[in-house]
Amino acid sequence: MTISLRAILPLAAALTLSFVSVGYSAEIFTTNGVAINGYDPVAYFTDHKPVKGSDKYKATYEGATFHFASASHRDAFTANPGHFAPQYGGYCAFGTAQGYKASTEPQAFTVVDNKLYLNYNDSVLKTWREDVSGYIKKADANWGKVRVQPDP
């Protein structure tokens, strides 16, 4: 039996493309398709604390579903999602500064220069706060390569 190279090239190309895309993640960190574990991103700016959202008020941004505590918060988000969405896709800001993706907890946050940054946990948040501006510079520089890493 002879197999023509011409016959298997399309299959080889398709397999190669599928392997290239495996392991890479979405732009936004989610748990079960929901960003920030269902917490309202607008509340970090208006209430200055994490507030659990409701699936009654939701919007999609960059392929992720965000929940909100109210229709007005949802509407503010949809009018300007780039403002309210967490930096680095909601992955740990400190982890991004170190060059890797890490999950986040909603209570481990800071708002700096009107931008939301989430961290892995309260202990990491404490370290993050020791040099916020320095870590932001490092994370900004790293995000391009970190964003295409596999999910944590």
Side-chain angles (χ1 to χ4, degrees):
M1 173 183 217
T2 318
I3 298 176
S4 161
L5 185 58
R6 182 174 293 206
I8 64 167
L9 278 177
L11 177 60
L15 286 172
T16 301
L17 287 175
S18 69
F19 286 127
V20 167
S21 65
V22 169
Y24 290 97
S25 64
E27 191 76 16
I28 306 288
F29 173 66
T30 63
T31 304
N32 299 320
V34 179
I36 320 176
N37 291 316
Y39 281 75
D40 180 342
V42 176
Y44 289 99
F45 297 90
T46 59
D47 299 10
H48 311 289
K49 65 181 181 179
V51 174
K52 190 74 169 166
S54 166
D55 63 0
K56 180 178 175 183
Y57 308 109
K58 58 187 173 182
T60 302
Y61 175 65
E62 298 286 340
T65 300
F66 287 82
H67 289 178
F68 303 91
S70 68
S72 63
H73 279 198
R74 179 201 57 216
D75 295 347
F77 181 87
T78 58
N80 192 0
H83 169 71
F84 294 107
Q87 299 300 295
Y88 320 121
Y91 291 94
C92 177
F94 179 78
T96 301
Q98 301 305 306
Y100 60 87
K101 278 184 178 175
S103 60
T104 54
E105 293 182 359
Q107 83 286 349
F109 80 97
T110 53
V111 174
V112 179
D113 294 331
N114 223 14
K115 295 179 181 180
L116 173 61
Y117 298 90
L118 298 172
N119 279 284
Y120 179 74
N121 61 24
D122 292 330
S123 176
V124 171
L125 176 63
K126 184 178 177 183
T127 302
W128 165 260
R129 287 183 172 163
E130 291 173 3
D131 184 15
V132 173
S133 63
Y135 290 130
I136 289 172
K137 286 179 187 175
K138 288 178 183 178
D140 287 348
N142 287 341
W143 179 234
K145 65 183 176 194
V146 170
R147 75 191 306 165
V148 296
Q149 292 176 358
D151 278 348

